């Protein structure tokens, strides 16, 4: 591995000169070029974090875990190591095995190694003297009980609320024989035993074990031998639960409910456990590692804190539950996209369980819109239901083609309360009545190749070129600076061809890109009173900025989110803005070169355009009742995770609140933040023919944008043309379009 001395020798300069170039402290172009050429030739990459550490201080972090066999500890280790490594640290791993003496020796080993800090995960209830300081190395302790008066950071996992919820639900189901098999430190130290006795008083049904498959197997046999009427059992860990399940298999027991304390994982847990008491261990590791790094690198501002992390009760619903028998043949018109294709793959489950036949026909955006309006005019009954873009809702409802679902809503209120807050009104309601079920989410995020923004050589070069830090942009001006920097045409040193992937062409996607800019600049297409106001200085400035962005693209016309996602997946561009419903495959290792290297943030300007689709019923359909049952199933909690695993999306709030799926969609927690910022497109009042309103965004605006990109007209002419065309649309209901 090359060193700074090697760079200095090859460049024929001093080490101090190399340091000045690396830290942007010189403007001598000759020296800069010599040093950078030497760095490239030697593949030398300066580590900013290592530079921030004192030379005398170790970059080693001690991590002490009970074991690495249990899934949650393995997840914790993987996430902590990844974050520490990205900050210039290596790890020194020791296993404590939930044994006080072994843990004490592990701490001593860490101190003997001269570690910079320690992440200590232990489930044993400790006394304060166990942590007597004999080193300056800070420590973060992760456990299940608060240690009073301890001068180190603590992260305490509290299972009590989730545990009580599990017991309460078992009681509500009428279960009287519920056993407990878990570690003593969790039962007593975590306060669970006291809660158990509030609901069940038989002490003989409590088995204390260490966390292993063998002890779980043994304890269940003993428990079942004494209580053959056993109805449910709560296990203290995944390993214990595996032993319990093996015992149940040997005893041919299928009616004893299993609840387990473990990180929730739908792939493993569906039909294996009735519920999990779960903590997001990836987030736990992230918080612990970041707190330790702060304590090491910024001791003057670091405060010792105790953080409580509350476990959640995650219940698994089967997507076969609640399906009634039917011989109906149903037909649905759908947008050709990942969500519809995901539902196509899931539909055989419904068909097998119900006996119904379900056909989903896929259409492009414009084709589907035209089809639905044509069928509405004829009062056609060919389709029993269809996907409905949120921007079509008003116009389609006014045709009478969309069935009112108010009665449906009243009969299924708990079901509809399970959607993300405000999505019913945003996606499926018109004049306070329900006309659809939210199906496909549409929340925009900025995605980028993370390593490009972390590369120290690139950060230094960007700072020198633009006078700013290289980071995910928060404004459209900064967005263009970053996009230019990562476009080889303008920066031959860029490791990727293009700064950004963008839609262009006469389509709704181009309009959405423009609205992101327009709203951030304070402009509007139509104001709150219904006036067309797009011919403004703000609209001109926004269009000028957007035009500049197109200089940093491949220049190819791309007509959908799928097209630009594909370009980003190939690693050809540094950034892309996508709806979350179209982003699933960018982190799929079998389909994406950037998988595992995807960064994400809210979009620049903070004004994303709300997108998304609902599923609606044809008011003239022959199978309205059966089609309604299928829509309820398609948009249910039970299908939320399967839909997302297959590449689609969901608007069920349980999916976003549930721990897990972070490796599939690491950006899941950002999705609802985007929704909070999102705005809907405004439409003018057209009394005669509402179906033409959407042409504002599918034809009028993007047509003028494309003419600007083609250098046919100026930005001023474009927004003037937009305003004139929209006013004409309003006045004559679409003549001349």
């Amino acid at each position: 591995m090359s060193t700074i001395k090697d760079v200095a020798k090859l460049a024929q300069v001093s080490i101090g000169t190399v340091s000045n170039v690396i830290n942007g402290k010189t403007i001598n172009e000759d020296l800069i070029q010599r040093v950078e050429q030497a760095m490239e030739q030697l593949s030398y990459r300066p580590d900013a974090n290592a530079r921030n550490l004192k030379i005398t201080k170790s970059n080693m972090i001690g991590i002490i875990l009970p074991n690495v066999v249990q899934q949650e500890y393995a997840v914790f280790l993987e996430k902590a190591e990844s974050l520490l490594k990205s900050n210039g640290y290596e790890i020194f791993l020791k296993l404590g095995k939930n044994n006080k003496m072994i843990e004490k020796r592990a701490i001593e080993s860490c101190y003997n190694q001269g570690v910079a800090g320690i992440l200590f995960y232990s489930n044993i209830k400790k006394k304060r003297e166990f942590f007597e300081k004999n080193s300056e190395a800070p420590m973060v302790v992760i456990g299940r009980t608060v240690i009073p008066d301890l001068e180190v950071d603590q992260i305490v996992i509290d299972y009590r609320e989730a545990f009580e919820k599990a017991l309460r639900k078992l009681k509500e189901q009428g279960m009287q024989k519920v056993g407990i098999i878990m570690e003593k430190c969790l039962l007593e130290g975590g306060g669970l035993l006291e809660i158990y006795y509030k609901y069940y008083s038989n002490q003989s049904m409590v088995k204390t074990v260490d966390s292993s498959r063998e002890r779980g197997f043994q304890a269940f046999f003993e428990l079942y031998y004494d209580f053959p009427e056993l109805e449910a059992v709560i296990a203290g860990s995944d390993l214990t639960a595996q032993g319990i399940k093996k015992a149940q298999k040997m005893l041919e027991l299928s009616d004893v409910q299993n609840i387990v304390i473990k990180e929730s994982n739908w792939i493993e847990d569906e039909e294996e456990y009735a519920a999990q008491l779960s903590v997001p261990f990836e987030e736990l590791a992230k918080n612990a590692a970041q707190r330790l790094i702060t304590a090491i690198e910024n001791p003057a501002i670091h405060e010792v804190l105790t953080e409580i992390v509350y476990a959640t009760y995650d219940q698994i619903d089967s997507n076969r539950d609640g399906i009634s028998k039917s011989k109906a043949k149903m037909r649905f018109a759908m947008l050709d996209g990942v969500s519809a294709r995901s539902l196509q793959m899931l539909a055989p489950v419904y068909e097998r369980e119900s006996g119904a036949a379900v056909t989903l026909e896929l259409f492009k955006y414009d084709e589907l819109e035209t089809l639905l309006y044509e069928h509405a005019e004829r009062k056609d009954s060919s389709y029993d239901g269809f996907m409905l873009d949120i921007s079509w809702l008003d116009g389609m409802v006014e045709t009478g083609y969309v069935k009112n679902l108010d009665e449906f809503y009243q009969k299924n209120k708990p079901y509809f309360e399970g959607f993300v807050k405000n999505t019913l009104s945003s996606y499926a309601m018109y004049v306070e009545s329900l006309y659809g079920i939210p199906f496909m989410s549409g929340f925009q995020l900025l995605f980028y190749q993370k390593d490009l923004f972390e590369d120290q050589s690139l950060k230094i070069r960007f700072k020198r070129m633009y006078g700013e830090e290289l980071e995910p942009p928060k404004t459209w001006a900064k967005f263009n600076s970053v996009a230019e920097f990562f476009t080889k045409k303008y920066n031959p040193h860029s490791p990727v061809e293009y700064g950004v992937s963008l839609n262009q062409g006469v389509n709704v996607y181009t309009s959405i890109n423009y609205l992101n800019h327009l709203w951030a600049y304070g402009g509007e297409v139509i104001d709150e009173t219904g006036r067309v106001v797009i011919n403004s200085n703000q609209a001109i400035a926004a269009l000028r900025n957007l035009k500049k962005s197109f200089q940093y693209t491949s220049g190819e016309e791309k007509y959908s989110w799928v097209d630009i996602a594909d370009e980003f997946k190939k690693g050809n561009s540094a950034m892309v803005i996508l709806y979350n419903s179209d982003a699933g495959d960018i982190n799929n290792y079998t389909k994406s070169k950037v998988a595992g290297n995807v960064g994400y943030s809210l979009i620049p300007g903070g004004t994303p355009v709300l997108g998304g689709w609902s599923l609606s019923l044809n008011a003239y359909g022959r199978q309205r009742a059966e089609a309604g049952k299928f829509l309820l199933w398609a948009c249910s909690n039970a299908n939320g995770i399967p839909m997302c695993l297959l590449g689609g999306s969901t608007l069920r709030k349980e999916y976003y609140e549930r721990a897990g799926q972070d490796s599939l969609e690491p950006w899941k927690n950002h999705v609802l933040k985007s929704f909070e910022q999102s705005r809907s497109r405004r439409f003018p009042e057209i009394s005669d023919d509402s179906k033409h309103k959407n042409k504002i965004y599918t034809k009028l605006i993007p047509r003028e944008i494309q003419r600007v990109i083609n250098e046919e007209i100026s930005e001023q002419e474009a927004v003037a043309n937009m305003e004139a065309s929209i006013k004409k649309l309003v006045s004559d209901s679409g003549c001349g379009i």
Side-chain angles (χ1 to χ4, degrees):
M1 182 180 293
S2 300
T3 67
I4 193 170
K5 291 182 181 179
D6 299 324
V7 174
K9 183 177 179 180
L10 183 60
Q12 296 183 334
V13 298
S14 69
I15 293 174
T17 298
V18 176
S19 178
N20 286 338
V21 171
I22 288 173
N23 291 288
K25 294 181 179 179
T26 179
I27 58 174
N28 187 315
E29 283 299 325
D30 177 57
L31 290 177
I32 290 169
Q33 288 185 19
R34 285 163 60 187
V35 170
E36 288 189 344
Q37 286 173 3
M39 288 168 62
E40 288 184 15
Q41 190 173 331
L42 295 170
S43 298
Y44 176 77
R45 292 291 180 267
D47 189 325
N49 297 291
R51 294 199 307 273
N52 290 335
L53 297 173
K54 293 179 181 178
I55 294 173
T56 57
K57 186 168 282 190
S58 167
N59 72 334
M60 190 76 71
I61 299 294
I63 298 183
I64 304 171
L65 298 174
N67 63 66
V68 289
V69 180
Q70 284 183 227
Q71 180 188 18
E72 52 262 40
Y73 301 141
V75 169
F76 181 94
L77 176 62
E78 182 181 10
K79 183 66 176 180
E81 181 184 27
S82 175
L83 195 146
L84 290 168
K85 191 171 183 179
S86 69
N87 281 271
Y89 295 94
E90 299 295 331
I91 69 162
F92 176 64
L93 177 65
K94 300 294 289 184
L95 301 182
K97 300 182 180 180
N98 282 329
N99 180 290
K100 284 187 178 182
M101 293 307 299
I102 295 174
E103 288 180 338
K104 191 169 185 178
R105 287 198 294 269
I107 292 174
E108 291 170 356
S109 293
C110 288
Y111 287 147
N112 291 337
Q113 285 289 322
V115 298
I118 298 174
L119 292 179
F120 180 27
Y121 198 129
S122 173
N123 294 325
I124 296 178
K125 187 175 181 180
K126 301 284 191 310
K127 294 182 179 179
R128 183 171 175 271
E129 56 265 26
F130 191 85
F131 297 95
E132 287 179 356
K133 241 183 172 182
N134 57 8
S135 168
E136 292 183 358
M139 180 186 292
V140 177
V141 179
I142 304 99
R144 293 168 178 165
T145 55
V146 176
I147 305 169
D149 303 319
L150 185 63
E151 290 301 312
V152 300
D153 287 290
Q154 299 182 63
I155 299 178
V156 180
I157 304 171
D158 191 334
Y159 288 100
R160 290 175 297 179
E161 186 176 321
F163 183 71
E164 183 156 16
K165 186 173 183 178
L167 293 173
R168 188 164 59 246
K169 284 185 173 292
L170 292 172
K171 269 291 188 183
E172 289 170 358
Q173 294 172 34
M175 295 194 180
Q176 300 301 317
K177 300 295 182 181
V178 174
I180 304 293
I181 302 176
M182 62 181 65
E183 306 97 307
K184 183 178 181 180
C185 59
L186 178 56
L187 271 172
E188 297 180 0
L192 303 190
L193 191 60
E194 182 180 345
I195 295 172
Y196 175 77
Y197 289 145
K198 283 173 56 179
Y199 293 84
Y200 300 97
S201 57
N202 193 334
Q203 298 182 15
S204 300
M205 297 193 74
V206 177
K207 298 288 184 181
T208 57
V209 297
D210 59 23
S211 182
S212 69
R213 300 179 184 90
E214 294 76 15
R215 295 306 182 197
F217 177 87
Q218 179 186 33
F220 184 83
F221 259 93
E222 293 172 354
L223 190 62
Y224 184 71
Y225 181 82
D226 292 334
F227 302 97
E229 66 276 31
L230 185 68
E231 297 168 285
V233 62
I234 303 178
S237 72
D238 185 33
L239 289 180
T240 304
Q242 289 176 34
I244 291 170
K245 288 190 293 180
K246 182 66 175 178
Q248 290 173 340
K249 185 177 180 180
M250 289 186 66
L251 292 167
E252 297 185 348
L253 297 175
S254 59
D255 55 350
V256 177
Q257 278 196 29
N258 287 315
I259 296 174
V260 61
I261 293 177
K262 70 180 288 290
E263 185 173 40
S264 185
N265 185 312
W266 182 84
I267 291 289
E268 296 177 355
D269 302 338
E270 205 266 343
E271 296 191 341
E272 290 292 328
Y273 302 111
Q276 301 84 35
L277 313 185
S278 179
V279 169
F281 277 82
E282 283 196 2
E283 195 66 26
L284 192 72
K286 178 182 174 183
N287 291 349
Q290 287 180 336
R291 186 176 294 184
L292 185 63
I293 290 169
T294 301
I296 294 168
E297 298 184 3
N298 299 290
I301 64 171
H302 175 69
E303 293 182 294
V304 172
L305 297 173
T306 296
E307 176 187 355
I308 308 297
V309 177
Y310 295 96
T312 59
Y313 175 88
D314 293 335
Q315 186 170 328
I316 300 293
D317 297 318
S318 170
N319 70 349
R320 293 191 293 275
D321 291 344
I323 299 177
S324 58
K325 294 298 180 181
S326 170
K327 294 183 179 180
K329 294 181 179 180
M330 295 174 281
R331 190 174 170 216
F332 298 87
M334 310 286 286
L335 174 74
D336 188 357
V338 287
S339 287
R341 291 184 182 276
S342 299
L343 186 57
Q344 271 187 328
M345 289 185 275
L346 284 173
V349 175
Y350 188 88
E351 292 179 311
R352 185 176 62 250
E353 295 296 317
S354 68
V358 179
T359 301
L360 304 179
E361 297 181 12
L362 307 185
F363 300 89
K364 293 180 180 178
Y365 184 91
D366 292 339
E367 292 174 343
L368 182 58
E369 185 180 21
T370 300
L371 173 85
L372 294 181
Y373 276 112
E374 288 177 350
H375 280 224
E377 288 178 6
R378 301 198 303 263
K379 298 184 179 180
D380 196 301
S381 62
S382 300
Y383 292 100
D384 298 290
F386 42 85
M387 279 179 71
L388 196 61
D389 182 40
I390 59 171
S391 65
W392 303 348
L393 181 64
D394 295 8
M396 285 301 303
V397 169
E398 289 166 7
T399 67
Y401 188 61
V402 187
K403 179 175 171 54
N404 182 288
L405 299 180
D406 285 346
E407 185 177 346
F408 211 48
Y409 172 75
Q410 293 300 326
K411 289 181 179 179
N412 299 279
K413 266 191 174 181
Y415 173 93
F416 286 101
E417 289 168 357
F419 287 100
V420 172
K421 186 179 179 181
N422 296 327
T423 53
L424 278 184
S425 57
S426 299
Y427 280 72
M429 298 192 79
Y430 177 64
V431 193
E432 299 184 356
S433 284
L434 187 71
Y435 288 92
I437 304 178
F439 170 61
M440 174 179 152
S441 61
F443 312 137
Q444 290 183 306
L445 292 172
L446 170 70
F447 298 95
Y448 55 90
Q449 293 196 50
K450 187 165 56 174
D451 64 338
L452 300 181
F453 288 78
E454 294 174 349
D455 187 293
Q456 294 304 316
S457 295
L458 294 174
K459 289 167 78 74
I460 292 164
R461 186 181 294 276
F462 186 87
K463 180 72 175 287
R464 190 166 62 248
M465 291 175 65
Y466 298 95
E468 297 181 282
E469 298 296 329
L470 176 59
E471 57 191 3
K474 292 183 172 60
T475 67
W476 291 113
K478 180 69 174 282
F479 179 83
N480 279 342
S481 297
V482 174
E484 180 182 55
F485 179 73
F486 283 120
T487 302
K488 272 193 182 294
K489 179 180 177 181
Y490 300 98
N491 175 18
H493 295 282
S494 173
V496 293
E497 286 294 324
Y498 315 114
V500 63
S501 293
L502 284 178
N503 300 111
Q504 62 172 291
V506 183
N507 55 60
V508 68
Y509 313 108
T510 301
S511 290
I512 289 171
N513 282 327
Y514 180 51
L515 289 178
N516 291 149
H517 290 68
L518 177 65
W519 292 342
Y521 276 75
E524 296 285 355
V525 177
I526 297 161
D527 69 13
E528 293 179 350
T529 67
R531 291 186 308 122
V532 182
V533 293
I534 196 169
N535 189 2
S536 66
N537 290 332
Q538 295 94 327
I540 293 168
L543 185 50
R544 186 177 296 122
N545 181 279
L546 178 60
K547 179 188 175 183
K548 190 175 182 182
S549 298
F550 282 111
Q551 298 175 29
Y552 314 125
T553 70
S554 63
E556 301 171 4
E557 288 198 7
K558 297 187 181 299
Y559 297 98
S560 71
W561 305 116
V562 173
D563 289 341
I564 60 172
D566 284 344
E567 185 173 83
F568 181 72
K569 285 190 297 185
K570 292 173 183 175
N572 294 339
S573 59
M575 301 182 292
V576 66
I577 291 174
L578 293 170
Y579 282 104
N580 71 303
S581 50
D582 298 291
D585 278 351
I586 66 175
N587 205 42
N588 184 331
Y589 285 87
T590 64
K591 299 179 180 180
S592 172
K593 290 184 179 180
V594 300
N597 184 38
V598 179
Y600 48 89
S601 67
L602 299 176
I603 73 165
T607 54
V609 179
L610 181 65
W613 298 69
S614 60
L615 289 178
S616 296
L617 295 177
N618 183 355
Y620 310 111
R622 300 187 186 94
Q623 300 288 348
R624 292 191 298 273
E626 293 301 323
K629 293 177 184 178
F630 176 74
L631 297 196
L632 284 174
W633 174 83
C635 303
S636 65
N637 271 333
N639 272 329
I641 294 175
M643 281 289 295
C644 293
L645 288 174
L646 293 173
S649 63
T650 182
L651 285 155
R652 303 297 301 194
K653 64 183 177 184
E654 182 178 290
Y655 173 77
Y656 297 99
E657 293 171 351
R658 182 186 178 85
Q661 281 70 58
D662 290 343
S663 59
L664 178 73
E665 290 186 296
W667 49 84
K668 191 174 76 168
N669 290 338
H670 274 60
V671 168
L672 297 188
K673 294 177 185 176
S674 175
F675 180 43
E676 290 171 4
Q677 293 184 347
S678 294
R679 295 176 53 183
S680 297
R681 286 157 274 181
R682 284 201 184 115
F683 294 90
E685 291 295 329
I686 301 179
S687 57
D688 295 345
D689 212 344
S690 291
K691 72 179 182 181
H692 289 300
K693 291 194 290 190
N694 201 38
K695 290 183 179 178
I696 293 171
Y697 300 105
T698 59
K699 288 186 172 58
L700 304 186
I701 290 176
R703 182 174 65 197
E704 301 305 322
I705 293 172
Q706 194 61 44
R707 293 178 69 191
V708 170
I709 295 168
N710 295 341
E711 302 285 355
E712 297 172 12
I713 59 175
S714 68
E715 291 88 351
Q716 291 89 340
E717 291 173 306
V719 297
N721 292 345
M722 290 177 194
E723 182 156 307
S725 297
I726 296 169
K727 285 181 175 179
K728 181 174 176 59
L729 173 69
V730 175
S731 65
D732 60 22
S733 299
C735 295
I737 296 174

